[in-house]
Amino acid sequence: MISYSEGLAKILSYAKQFSFESVPLKLSNNRVLAEEVRADRDYPPFNRSAMDGFTISSSDYSENKIYHYRRELPAGSSFQLEKGEEAIRIMTGAPVPIGLDVVIKIEDSLLSEEDNNGKRVSFSLESVRPWQNIAKKGEDLHEGDTVLLPGHTLGTSEISMLASLGKSFVSVAVLPKVQIISTGNEILSIDQTPLDWQIRDSNSYTISSILSKYKIIPESVKNIPDEETLLTEAIAKGLESDILILSGGVSMGSLDLVPSILQKLGVGLVFHKVQIKPGKPIWFGKRGNTIVFGMPGNPFSVQTCSRIFLEPFLRASMGQKQNPVMRLPISGTRNKKGSFTEFFPVRLDTKDKTYLSTVPFNGSGDIRAGLFSDGLAVHPSDSVQIREGDWVEFLPW
Amino acid sequence: MISYSEGLAKILSYAKQFSFESVPLKLSNNRVLAEEVRADRDYPPFNRSAMDGFTISSSDYSENKIYHYRRELPAGSSFQLEKGEEAIRIMTGAPVPIGLDVVIKIEDSLLSEEDNNGKRVSFSLESVRPWQNIAKKGEDLHEGDTVLLPGHTLGTSEISMLASLGKSFVSVAVLPKVQIISTGNEILSIDQTPLDWQIRDSNSYTISSILSKYKIIPESVKNIPDEETLLTEAIAKGLESDILILSGGVSMGSLDLVPSILQKLGVGLVFHKVQIKPGKPIWFGKRGNTIVFGMPGNPFSVQTCSRIFLEPFLRASMGQKQNPVMRLPISGTRNKKGSFTEFFPVRLDTKDKTYLSTVPFNGSGDIRAGLFSDGLAVHPSDSVQIREGDWVEFLPW
């Protein structure tokens, strides 16, 4: 049986980048950028006043000198300095005219009475320095500078930036076509009334919810009993998608038909079973361009396998950076037997410091297992005990 | 001028919970639960075999005793124990028949040859304990137990749970109607070509992207110049929504028309200006059932004001729990003058431990300010210096 890191490495090695498409920026939240984006011009595009006040030249400044001014320069306009003009009233966001290099804010300005030459102002500052209160053209970005590379997830900061650059359409990774099949004679769709020994299909909801983080809507979601003909038909249909995700039917039982049907349909096994808890019986394979995840049937196993294997695969396939590793201190101790890597639900708690707290549950069949947790913590394969205060790997949901 | 905590408290005091509506569970991701959810039956709903193997009674177990069995019990079926029947082949997920209380996994079973009485099996375990490898009826939840309360955000764990409970429709907080107006003569929509002294409207994209986290799609998004008639008309229209979000026009300039127009239209001022950086000029008020946020025009100010004021308001208005406070160690030192609360972009980095790193930028007009950051860190009003290793409040995006 392979280890967690071997399983993850194998899965990632099968990620083949999907194509890309152009979408309107306003619909691009959480999509994965597929182009290099460069600055279309300098930013700021002009010497921008950062304050409301007056713009003057630093060259002949002195405290209490009387400046004459006539004009007021709002944002969205542009002035050329006129002959003899030594000060201009200027607004935040307006371009400082060529020949001037200082903005003094209105609070430091002393307005005098108008004389024959126009309005008058002096300033209470002992001295000024060139470019004070001015964001200089190009100080943030120069035209042609690379701003974003392919692989960035488009969150608020990225979308804000792309809007500034005028990218009303943006190239993003195409979303894969996904089908989901929950298998098991005991599984009913959630709008049916179960008999005492039946349970409802939560797994397809778990998987769909995780896919929705990536804006993926499954093409089809089915519940299929452990019946060879029906299951073969559904799986054959599922193999027409990019990714087929099954839950249930991959363990040791005589009705665990999924592996044999997959192999009969020509899906090549990459691995079956990984040294992890929960999720040990996971099956992973490939036919043509279709990747198949066969997850165990327990709800917490599905949520864990989705987080530790499916999501990294999706990210790699969309050319997206992997989530960076996080390590936080944990409260309490945790003991482990055996050499499996174990994943357990944890909550973020904060007193003076943010730390992880374990969330108790009754094993991977417990429908409450993930509830009230912020993610999974990792108990590494070679560690017997996690101790109070250890910095533990944390995988946020 | 009020402090950050006073501003936040005032904003939250104006949150009035919106109504609720029923939506299909599959469309409920990131919505806010508006009902108390209880277990519709015990969970597990029956004594569920956690293994593939044999089910027997603990009462007369002995190692190497020969058990006769005839039947195989898959998940999704139910058997009543027949007279003389002492063992049943059982699958993971199947209900253990009444009268039996042990499951022994197939790996610990020794199958013998069939005799006249049927198939035979013995077990290699020295002893068994009652209920081993069985998830007992009701051990996770009892019928009627409260599972979720109103205010929970529906993430993967919650949706998985609700599916298990058969909630194909779920009551959630109605989304508010929001309008966005970016003001400023210098602002063009992002598909127009700016002149040298014009910039594109990124702010409405920033705000829309943040709203999308809550599944809110703005009713309308407009760019309006600093022109009294046009702005009055647009704001009057905006006041027909639940929340009107403006950016720009709230500072000291003579073209900063937003506060006067709002007051002319009967919007009551709650506060104007808060001791924060960035975002100081923020304006907040109310008319009837409409809340108005007047944010400053700089992109990083908009992103910050949205995170620290708009999002808490939205959460409170939807009855949603606030994000819990997080505190993480920071690398590097940071000095501050004055008594404002300052917010600065930080990245999560991990070596052995996860810590915050500052992301350099050129002030709140820098369109790169939020880029490559994972959230904001807080430099409290009364702190002069943040030191290497201090545990600093962190607001993830």
Side-chain angles (χ1 to χ4, degrees):
Chain A
M1 208 183 325
I2 61 175
S3 70
Y4 165 50
S5 57
E6 288 164 344
L8 182 57
K10 273 202 193 291
I11 282 173
L12 293 180
S13 76
Y14 280 82
K16 200 192 70 178
Q17 197 162 342
F18 303 133
S19 187
F20 46 86
E21 61 183 341
S22 180
V23 299
L25 184 60
K26 68 178 68 165
L27 300 179
S28 71
N29 277 290
N30 293 334
R31 297 294 296 269
V32 181
L33 187 65
E35 60 175 315
E36 181 175 341
V37 176
R38 293 167 177 272
D40 63 316
R41 53 180 182 160
D42 283 352
Y43 285 90
F46 48 85
N47 293 327
R48 184 184 63 217
S49 174
M51 294 285 173
D52 289 313
F54 286 88
T55 178
I56 59 165
S57 166
S58 62
S59 59
D60 58 352
Y61 179 81
S62 67
E63 194 177 352
N64 302 324
K65 171 178 169 179
I66 302 286
Y67 288 80
H68 283 90
Y69 73 100
R70 294 185 302 275
R71 298 194 293 175
E72 187 168 304
L73 178 51
S77 306
S78 177
F79 283 175
Q80 289 204 316
L81 203 57
E82 291 175 357
K83 205 176 164 191
E85 191 172 39
E86 51 186 3
I88 295 173
R89 176 87 171 86
I90 196 167
M91 303 299 154
T92 305
V96 175
I98 290 168
L100 304 181
D101 65 352
V102 166
V103 169
I104 298 177
K105 59 183 175 181
I106 191 77
E107 293 90 335
D108 294 328
S109 308
L110 307 163
L111 300 176
S112 317
E113 277 183 36
E114 217 160 318
D115 69 8
N116 290 339
N117 290 319
K119 297 179 190 166
R120 295 186 302 163
V121 64
S122 61
F123 305 104
S124 58
L125 302 176
E126 208 168 290
S127 66
V128 296
R129 32 178 197 80
W131 307 111
Q132 74 176 40
N133 296 326
I134 295 170
K136 281 190 74 173
K137 181 172 193 284
E139 78 174 25
D140 302 337
L141 287 171
H142 287 106
E143 181 179 338
D145 280 356
T146 296
V147 179
L148 285 170
L149 290 170
H152 274 284
T153 310
L154 299 180
T156 299
S157 304
E158 291 76 15
I159 286 172
S160 171
M161 166 62 95
L162 292 170
S164 291
L165 302 184
K167 296 284 297 179
S168 43
F169 281 79
V170 62
S171 178
V172 297
V174 164
L175 301 176
K177 294 195 181 92
V178 178
Q179 294 193 35
I180 299 173
I181 302 174
S182 297
T183 75
N185 287 333
E186 75 279 29
I187 307 294
L188 288 186
S189 82
I190 74 162
D191 48 7
Q192 292 179 284
T193 307
L195 298 171
D196 279 353
W197 53 88
Q198 295 177 319
I199 58 172
R200 299 183 186 98
D201 167 31
S202 63
N203 287 339
S204 70
Y205 281 81
T206 306
I207 296 163
S208 296
S209 171
I210 285 167
L211 294 175
S212 78
K213 289 165 58 179
Y214 300 89
K215 309 280 275 268
I216 299 168
I217 298 169
E219 285 189 314
S220 94
V221 174
K222 290 179 185 146
N223 309 317
I224 306 290
D226 302 309
E227 198 283 309
E228 178 122 16
T229 311
L230 291 174
L231 206 46
T232 302
E233 195 182 323
I235 291 177
K237 183 82 187 146
L239 290 170
E240 294 168 11
S241 59
D242 297 312
I243 304 174
L244 171 60
I245 307 170
L246 296 134
S247 65
V250 292
S251 279
M252 299 286 289
S254 55
L255 287 179
D256 287 330
L257 305 171
V258 167
S260 65
I261 293 175
L262 285 170
Q263 293 194 285
K264 214 177 297 169
L265 288 169
V267 183
L269 172 69
V270 177
F271 62 76
H272 186 191
K273 296 184 181 165
V274 182
Q275 290 170 322
I276 54 173
K277 186 180 169 186
K280 180 181 91 167
I282 187 171
W283 195 103
F284 180 78
K286 182 173 190 276
R287 189 186 82 175
N289 289 319
T290 305
I291 292 293
V292 180
F293 287 86
M295 298 187 186
N298 273 329
F300 186 56
S301 302
V302 166
Q303 197 175 353
T304 301
C305 286
S306 296
R307 179 63 181 81
I308 67 172
F309 290 140
L310 175 61
E311 287 198 55
F313 178 79
L314 289 173
R315 297 177 80 94
S317 299
M318 296 192 290
Q320 190 178 15
K321 293 179 186 199
Q322 294 300 326
N323 280 315
V325 170
M326 285 183 74
R327 283 183 185 280
L328 293 172
I330 197 162
S331 91
T333 62
R334 185 178 194 276
N335 295 301
K336 175 170 79 72
K337 290 180 207 150
S339 60
F340 280 26
T341 304
E342 295 191 6
F343 301 88
F344 54 102
V346 286
R347 202 177 58 225
L348 291 170
D349 278 329
T350 301
K351 284 173 190 160
D352 295 340
K353 306 176 175 186
T354 295
Y355 59 94
L356 304 172
S357 303
T358 56
V359 177
F361 70 106
N362 294 325
S364 61
D366 186 345
I367 58 170
R368 300 167 312 160
L371 215 59
F372 311 124
S373 68
D374 295 304
L376 294 171
V378 185
H379 198 149
S381 55
D382 58 359
S383 152
V384 173
Q385 187 176 54
I386 290 176
R387 277 172 298 256
E388 172 83 26
D390 282 356
W391 289 66
V392 173
E393 189 175 342
F394 170 58
L395 310 172
W397 290 131
Chain B
M1 208 183 329
I2 62 176
S3 70
Y4 165 50
S5 58
E6 288 164 344
L8 182 58
K10 276 204 191 286
I11 282 174
L12 293 180
S13 76
Y14 281 82
K16 202 191 68 177
Q17 197 163 343
F18 302 133
S19 186
F20 46 86
E21 64 183 338
S22 180
V23 299
L25 184 61
K26 68 179 67 167
L27 300 180
S28 71
N29 277 291
N30 294 334
R31 296 296 295 268
V32 182
L33 187 65
E35 61 174 315
E36 179 175 342
V37 177
R38 293 167 176 273
D40 63 316
R41 53 178 181 160
D42 285 352
Y43 285 89
F46 48 84
N47 294 326
R48 185 186 61 215
S49 176
M51 294 284 174
D52 290 312
F54 287 88
T55 178
I56 59 166
S57 166
S58 61
S59 60
D60 58 352
Y61 179 81
S62 67
E63 193 179 352
N64 300 325
K65 172 181 168 177
I66 301 287
Y67 288 82
H68 283 91
Y69 73 101
R70 294 186 300 278
R71 298 195 291 175
E72 186 169 305
L73 178 49
S77 307
S78 175
F79 284 174
Q80 291 205 310
L81 203 58
E82 291 175 357
K83 208 178 159 187
E85 191 172 39
E86 53 187 0
I88 294 173
R89 177 84 171 87
I90 196 167
M91 303 299 154
T92 305
V96 175
I98 292 168
L100 303 182
D101 65 352
V102 164
V103 169
I104 298 177
K105 58 183 178 183
I106 192 76
E107 294 88 338
D108 295 327
S109 309
L110 307 163
L111 300 175
S112 316
E113 279 185 35
E114 217 161 318
D115 69 8
N116 291 339
N117 291 318
K119 296 178 190 169
R120 295 185 300 163
V121 65
S122 61
F123 306 105
S124 56
L125 303 174
E126 211 168 287
S127 66
V128 296
R129 36 179 191 79
W131 308 113
Q132 74 175 40
N133 296 326
I134 295 170
K136 282 191 76 175
K137 182 173 191 285
E139 77 173 28
D140 302 337
L141 287 170
H142 288 107
E143 182 178 339
D145 281 356
T146 296
V147 179
L148 284 171
L149 290 171
H152 274 284
T153 311
L154 300 180
T156 299
S157 302
E158 292 76 16
I159 287 173
S160 172
M161 164 63 92
L162 292 169
S164 290
L165 302 182
K167 298 282 298 176
S168 42
F169 282 80
V170 64
S171 178
V172 295
V174 164
L175 301 176
K177 296 195 180 91
V178 180
Q179 295 193 33
I180 299 173
I181 302 175
S182 297
T183 76
N185 287 335
E186 76 278 30
I187 307 293
L188 287 188
S189 83
I190 74 164
D191 48 7
Q192 291 179 284
T193 305
L195 298 172
D196 276 354
W197 54 89
Q198 295 177 318
I199 59 172
R200 300 183 185 99
D201 168 31
S202 64
N203 288 338
S204 70
Y205 281 82
T206 305
I207 296 163
S208 297
S209 170
I210 285 167
L211 294 174
S212 79
K213 288 165 58 179
Y214 299 88
K215 307 281 274 270
I216 299 167
I217 298 169
E219 286 188 314
S220 93
V221 176
K222 291 178 184 145
N223 308 317
I224 307 289
D226 302 310
E227 197 284 307
E228 179 123 14
T229 312
L230 291 174
L231 205 46
T232 302
E233 193 182 326
I235 291 177
K237 183 83 188 145
L239 290 169
E240 294 168 14
S241 59
D242 297 311
I243 305 173
L244 170 61
I245 307 170
L246 295 134
S247 64
V250 291
S251 278
M252 299 285 287
S254 55
L255 287 179
D256 287 331
L257 306 170
V258 167
S260 65
I261 293 175
L262 285 169
Q263 293 194 285
K264 214 175 297 170
L265 289 169
V267 183
L269 172 68
V270 177
F271 62 75
H272 186 190
K273 295 185 183 165
V274 182
Q275 291 171 321
I276 54 172
K277 187 178 168 191
K280 181 181 93 167
I282 187 170
W283 195 104
F284 179 76
K286 183 174 190 276
R287 189 185 84 174
N289 289 319
T290 305
I291 292 292
V292 180
F293 287 87
M295 298 186 185
N298 271 329
F300 186 56
S301 302
V302 165
Q303 196 175 355
T304 300
C305 286
S306 297
R307 179 63 182 80
I308 67 172
F309 290 139
L310 174 62
E311 287 198 55
F313 178 79
L314 290 173
R315 298 177 79 95
S317 300
M318 296 193 288
Q320 188 177 16
K321 296 178 185 197
Q322 293 300 328
N323 280 316
V325 170
M326 285 184 74
R327 284 183 184 280
L328 293 174
I330 197 163
S331 92
T333 63
R334 185 178 194 277
N335 295 302
K336 176 169 81 69
K337 289 180 209 151
S339 60
F340 280 26
T341 304
E342 295 191 5
F343 301 88
F344 54 101
V346 287
R347 202 176 59 224
L348 291 170
D349 278 328
T350 301
K351 284 172 188 162
D352 294 341
K353 307 175 174 186
T354 295
Y355 59 94
L356 304 173
S357 304
T358 55
V359 177
F361 70 107
N362 294 326
S364 62
D366 187 345
I367 58 170
R368 300 168 311 160
L371 214 62
F372 310 125
S373 69
D374 295 305
L376 293 171
V378 185
H379 197 150
S381 55
D382 58 359
S383 154
V384 173
Q385 186 175 56
I386 291 176
R387 276 173 298 257
E388 173 85 26
D390 282 356
W391 289 66
V392 173
E393 188 174 344
F394 171 58
L395 310 172
W397 289 131

